[in-house]
């Protein structure tokens, strides 16, 4: 388990202690048996794909990643977050998964939870001056062309047993009957129908009030088992009407009902908002189930966390899945490559991304994690697997800390931009091709000016964002080559005029510019009209298309020349922005 569940662990096989608190999880290494592992050979594809999910988890519990320390002051909160986003954008990421509800408390004003202690230092205390951090974070992410996935922990209620400092509006004080104590924490009891309804309303509040791109749950459903300590829900089980002869099946059904209910509510509110899950990396071991992976994990998501994530993908309750494969290539009990192949053979009805253990690089006793190329080799394996569509990294601090040059490796892997994998179903129709305006040159700025507008047919349903291509030739080239992408606009800006500047051109060379429009499902429109120019020292010259020479008899009668409306410059009050 890791801090995708709000609790940072060095691996699913050890104890992790950081941020002033510690957690002992099941020591899985004592339950694993080293067996020979057969891995499937894959064709590696080193070419950077045009579409690839590139996300980073931003953990707020215990201030692992954000904010650096709790404060009621708005300014350090917003500046800290903008700084994080700027770094992710420079590194080539296109999504952030931000923990906004760590332990039944919230990073936004909520009807169902108090302000988080990890935001202001005192649960229930709002920031000053009061503002909405979640609305701010979503807006800033979208400005940079980053998807925002709101990460919620559905069942964890506290991080410790200190209930004295819980706000009066915390669930411990409002619905104590919904909670059970397990180990040194309190959890919602998933077997209570009112709890499922509550979790659904918590999610609905976020989807309804914020322009999030996805709701994200991690691996923390029923808690990781404590050896010799049963989860205290037997009374609820005995009192529950139903057909389940085993408590384990009843528990899985409880989580199934919650996931289905949440999924249906999201789609009823905003069909384009996704529901994503990042489960523990092993679903079941092969010795327990023929469908399981060739692994020897002492804890599995199906048997111990009671999350049947394969069922959720089959039933299309979730839109993407990010298994946390937090072991290195060649680790016999749970080999990264074996698990990548297994998940890619079992997930077909939803997008598959992989979670990487960035936090282990240079900070784990296993010598394999002292190899600075471990994560890069994992990403190469992902790219060589036609089912896997991208990666997510736990966590932000591990990436930006640059241990063993990890940040530099990520930047190298992501040196060309990538679009989010498109939704195959399509929650909205494809946008019409945009209208690319006249290309000009600004000598004072030493930049080529590119302007465009949405299609007139899209003025009532504006595109979510735009992609600008530049081909180093007199004609358009390969749209699938990401090296031809020079700009991805901000998301959901609602503008009707766009301007960017291209500073990377050379005198006497020809360039062709094209723009496409994207909807919320990341479906791309047909290309706009092309604009081909030759860069001159102080201007650009339009490329003339060669036409067959016509005879006098072929020439039409001379008509009065009318200026092309598309070539009229905007007025001086036009809003210009440099991306």
């Amino acid at each position: 388990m890791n801090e995708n569940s709000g609790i940072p662990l060095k691996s699913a096989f050890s104890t992790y202690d950081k941020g002033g608190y510690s957690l002992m999880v099941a020591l899985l290494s004592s339950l694993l048996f080293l067996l020979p592992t057969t891995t499937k050979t894959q064709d590696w594809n080193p070419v950077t794909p045009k579409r690839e999910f590139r996300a980073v988890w931003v953990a707020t519990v215990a201030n692992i990643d954000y904010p650096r320390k709790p404060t009621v002051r708005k300014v350090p909160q917003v500046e800290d977050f903008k700084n994080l986003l700027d770094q992710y954008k420079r590194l080539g990421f296109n999504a952030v998964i931000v923990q906004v509800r760590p332990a039944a408390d919230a990073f936004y004003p909520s009807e169902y939870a108090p302000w988080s202690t990890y935001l202001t230092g005192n649960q229930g205390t709002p920031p000053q001056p009061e503002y909405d951090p979640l609305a701010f974070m979503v807006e800033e992410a979208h400005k940079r062309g980053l998807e925002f996935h709101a990460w919620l922990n559905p069942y964890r209620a506290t991080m410790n047993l200190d209930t004295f400092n819980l706000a009066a509006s915390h669930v411990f004080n409002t619905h104590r009957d919904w909670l059970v104590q397990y180990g040194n924490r309190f959890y919602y009891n998933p077997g209570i129908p009112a709890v499922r309804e509550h979790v659904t309303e918590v999610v609905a509040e976020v989807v309804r009030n914020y322009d999030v791109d996805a709701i994200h749950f991690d691996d923390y459903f029923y808690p990781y088992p404590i050896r010799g300590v049963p989860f205290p829900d037997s009374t609820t089980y005995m009192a529950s009407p139903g057909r389940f002869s085993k408590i384990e099946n009843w528990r899985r059904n409880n989580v199934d009902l919650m996931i289905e209910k949440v999924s249906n509510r999201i789609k009823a509110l905003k069909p384009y908002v996704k529901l994503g899950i990042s489960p523990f990396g092993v679903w079941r071991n092969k010795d327990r189930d023929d469908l399981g992976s060739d692994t020897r994990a002492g804890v599995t998501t199906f048997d111990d966390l009671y999350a049947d994530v394969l069922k959720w993908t089959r039933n299309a309750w979730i839109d993407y899945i990010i298994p946390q494969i937090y072991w290195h290539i060649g680790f016999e009990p749970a080999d990264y490559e074996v698990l990548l192949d297994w998940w890619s053979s079992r997930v077909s009805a939803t997008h598959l991304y992989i979670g990487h253990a960035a936090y282990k690089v240079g900070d784990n006793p296993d010598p394999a994690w002292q190899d600075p190329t471990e994560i890069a080799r994992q990403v190469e394996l992902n790219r060589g697997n036609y089912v896997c569509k991208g990666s997510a990294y736990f966590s932000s601090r591990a990436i930006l800390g640059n241990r063993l040059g990890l940040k530099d490796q990520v930047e190298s892997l992501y040196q060309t931009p990538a679009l989010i994998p498109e939704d195959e179903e399509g929650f909205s129709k494809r946008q019409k091709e945009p209208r690319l305006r006249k290309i000009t040159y600004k000598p004072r700025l030493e930049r080529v000016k590119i302007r465009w507008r949405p299609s007139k047919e899209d003025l009532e349903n504006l595109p979510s964002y735009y992609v600008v291509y530049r081909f180093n030739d007199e004609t358009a080239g390969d749209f699938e080559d990401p090296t031809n992408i020079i700009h991805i606009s901000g998301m959901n800006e609602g503008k009707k005029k766009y301007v960017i500047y291209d500073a990377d051109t050379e005198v006497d060379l020809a360039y062709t510019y094209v723009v496409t429009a994207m909807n919320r499902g990341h479906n791309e429109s047909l290309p706009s009209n092309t604009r081909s120019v030759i860069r001159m020292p102080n201007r650009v010259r339009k490329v003339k298309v060669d036409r067959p020479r016509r005879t006098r008899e072929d020439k039409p009668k001379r008509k009065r020349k009318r200026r092309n409306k598309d070539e009229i410059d905007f007025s001086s009050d036009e809003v210009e922005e440099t991306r």
Side-chain angles (χ1 to χ4, degrees):
M1 179 176 134
N2 66 2
E3 182 16 75
N4 296 0
S5 45
I7 301 152
L9 302 176
K10 280 199 171 181
S11 72
F13 302 91
S14 62
T15 304
Y16 185 69
D17 185 2
K18 269 191 181 177
Y21 71 111
S22 64
L23 168 73
M24 173 66 73
V25 225
L27 295 175
L28 304 185
S29 56
S30 63
L31 301 178
L32 298 173
F33 302 93
L34 299 178
L35 295 178
T37 304
T38 303
T39 59
K40 186 175 81 174
T41 302
Q42 299 190 38
D43 294 328
W44 286 15
N45 179 12
V47 178
T48 305
K50 174 183 174 179
R51 290 188 181 267
E52 184 176 48
F53 186 71
R54 301 171 177 178
V56 58
W57 278 288
V58 183
T60 60
V61 70
N63 303 106
I64 291 174
D65 295 316
Y66 172 80
R68 283 179 289 181
K69 60 181 180 180
T71 176
V72 296
R73 296 166 55 224
K74 173 184 175 180
V75 171
Q77 289 175 3
V78 301
E79 293 303 320
D80 191 6
F81 194 74
K82 288 195 293 186
N83 178 57
L84 288 178
L85 293 183
D86 287 340
Q87 293 187 77
Y88 303 147
K89 182 66 175 178
R90 282 196 297 269
L91 292 174
F93 286 96
N94 54 25
V96 289
I97 306 172
V98 182
Q99 191 176 35
V100 299
R101 182 184 162 92
D105 54 2
F107 273 61
Y108 52 94
S110 173
E111 180 184 345
Y112 304 102
W115 286 100
S116 177
T117 185
Y118 303 117
L119 179 67
T120 63
N122 186 31
Q123 192 174 88
T125 299
Q128 295 297 329
E130 193 163 351
Y131 76 112
D132 191 332
L134 180 51
F136 160 78
M137 291 190 287
V138 172
E139 181 181 1
E140 291 297 321
H142 285 167
K143 281 181 182 179
R144 293 159 176 79
L146 302 170
E147 272 200 334
F148 188 96
H149 295 223
W151 166 16
L152 296 83
N153 293 87
Y155 292 140
R156 187 174 61 230
T158 72
M159 289 296 293
N160 52 47
L161 300 180
D162 178 12
T163 59
F164 179 78
N165 291 314
L166 296 177
S169 58
H170 189 275
V171 66
F172 181 88
N173 294 314
T174 60
H175 285 286
R176 177 68 181 82
D177 55 318
W178 288 357
L179 306 183
V180 295
Q181 180 186 340
Y182 188 59
N184 64 346
R185 297 196 176 132
F186 284 96
Y187 299 91
Y188 286 91
N189 185 343
I192 299 175
V195 167
R196 292 194 289 272
E197 185 64 32
H198 174 73
V199 171
T200 303
E201 290 306 312
V202 166
V203 171
E205 180 182 53
V206 173
V207 174
R208 184 170 49 247
N209 295 339
Y210 300 95
D211 191 24
V212 298
D213 299 288
I215 295 294
H216 184 89
F217 292 160
D218 53 32
D219 52 327
Y220 220 97
F221 294 100
Y222 278 82
Y224 281 75
I226 302 172
R227 184 178 299 188
V229 182
F231 188 75
D233 62 348
S234 58
T235 302
T236 310
Y237 167 62
M238 296 300 293
S240 298
R243 64 190 183 278
F244 298 100
S245 59
K246 292 184 178 181
I247 194 171
E248 294 83 2
N249 294 334
W250 172 76
R251 287 172 177 167
R252 272 185 289 274
N253 185 65
N254 292 335
V255 184
D256 287 348
L257 291 173
M258 184 271 288
I259 292 294
E260 182 181 21
K261 193 174 186 67
V262 166
S263 176
N264 290 339
R265 190 61 179 279
I266 291 172
K267 300 310 178 188
L269 289 169
K270 295 178 181 178
Y272 55 82
V273 173
K274 295 169 280 196
L275 175 59
I277 306 290
S278 56
F280 180 74
V282 177
W283 177 71
R284 295 194 91 184
N285 293 317
K286 195 173 184 179
D287 63 357
R288 295 286 300 273
D289 190 324
D290 288 342
L291 293 177
S293 54
D294 189 9
T295 51
R296 293 296 179 267
V299 168
T300 66
T301 187
F302 182 91
D303 295 301
D304 300 287
L305 308 181
Y306 305 103
D308 189 358
V309 293
L310 294 189
K311 178 179 180 179
W312 307 345
T313 64
R314 288 195 304 270
N315 291 341
W317 294 343
I318 62 177
D319 300 289
Y320 70 82
I321 187 170
I322 311 180
Q324 300 169 20
I325 307 182
Y326 286 179
W327 307 286
H328 63 78
I329 299 168
F331 182 61
E332 287 188 298
D335 188 322
Y336 180 91
E337 188 171 2
V338 169
L339 284 165
L340 171 63
D341 289 341
W342 185 89
W343 282 102
S344 64
S345 68
R346 295 292 184 268
V347 174
S348 58
T350 185
H351 284 311
L352 172 67
Y353 314 130
I354 299 298
H356 299 273
Y359 66 94
K360 286 187 177 181
V361 174
D363 192 26
N364 189 277
D366 191 322
W369 291 106
Q370 304 304 314
D371 179 358
T373 68
E374 174 64 30
I375 295 293
R377 292 190 295 122
Q378 292 180 7
V379 173
E380 287 179 349
L381 285 175
N382 292 357
R383 289 175 172 174
N385 184 301
Y386 71 95
V387 176
C388 180
K389 304 296 184 183
S391 300
Y393 303 83
F394 181 76
S395 66
S396 169
R397 182 172 62 179
I399 294 289
L400 301 182
N402 203 27
R403 285 197 302 265
L404 299 183
L406 177 60
K407 182 176 77 169
D408 302 330
Q409 291 249 349
V410 169
E411 187 173 17
S412 177
L413 287 166
Y414 296 161
Q415 58 186 304
T416 58
L419 307 181
I420 300 283
E422 66 181 334
D423 169 57
E424 301 297 338
E425 299 295 328
F427 293 116
S428 59
K429 66 177 183 179
R430 289 183 187 269
Q431 309 289 158
K432 296 297 183 180
E433 53 269 34
R435 295 175 292 160
L436 183 58
R437 317 296 283 186
K438 182 179 179 181
I439 303 297
T440 58
Y441 184 73
K442 298 298 179 182
R444 183 172 58 85
L445 300 176
E446 296 183 348
R447 285 168 168 79
V448 173
K449 182 179 179 181
I450 305 142
R451 303 173 298 160
W452 71 93
R453 291 181 177 181
S455 166
K456 292 180 179 179
E457 297 181 47
D458 284 342
L459 293 180
E460 299 301 320
N461 178 33
L462 292 172
S464 177
Y465 61 101
Y466 298 87
V467 182
V468 180
Y469 297 84
R470 186 195 67 203
F471 303 97
N472 299 334
D473 202 344
E474 296 183 1
T475 58
D478 184 3
F479 284 89
E480 294 304 309
D481 183 352
T483 62
N484 292 321
I485 297 175
I486 63 168
H487 177 74
I488 299 174
S489 76
M491 294 180 173
N492 312 327
E493 294 180 312
K495 300 192 308 184
K496 296 182 180 180
K497 294 180 181 179
Y498 286 82
V499 177
I500 66 166
Y501 294 90
D502 183 6
D504 188 23
T505 60
E506 297 181 22
V507 174
D508 295 332
L509 294 184
Y511 300 96
T512 296
Y513 294 91
V514 182
V515 181
T516 59
M518 311 291 288
N519 63 15
R520 288 298 293 250
H522 305 286
N523 306 115
E524 190 170 23
S525 74
L526 292 174
S528 70
N529 55 304
T530 63
R531 296 283 185 181
S532 300
V533 297
I534 296 175
R535 165 75 196 286
M536 309 301 286
N538 292 303
R539 63 185 181 91
V540 292
R541 178 167 57 82
K542 181 180 177 181
V543 172
K544 295 182 179 180
V545 180
D546 292 334
R547 293 189 178 97
R549 183 184 296 273
R550 292 181 294 189
T551 64
R552 182 179 297 274
E553 290 74 15
D554 293 331
K555 292 183 180 180
K557 292 183 179 180
R558 193 176 188 87
K559 294 183 179 180
R560 181 180 177 183
K561 185 177 180 180
R562 300 181 64 185
R563 193 174 182 187
N564 188 333
K565 184 171 65 176
D566 282 354
E567 296 183 0
I568 299 176
D569 287 340
F570 290 131
S571 61
S572 59
D573 61 350
E574 173 193 346
V575 177
E576 298 185 0
E577 57 187 55
T578 302
R579 291 293 182 192

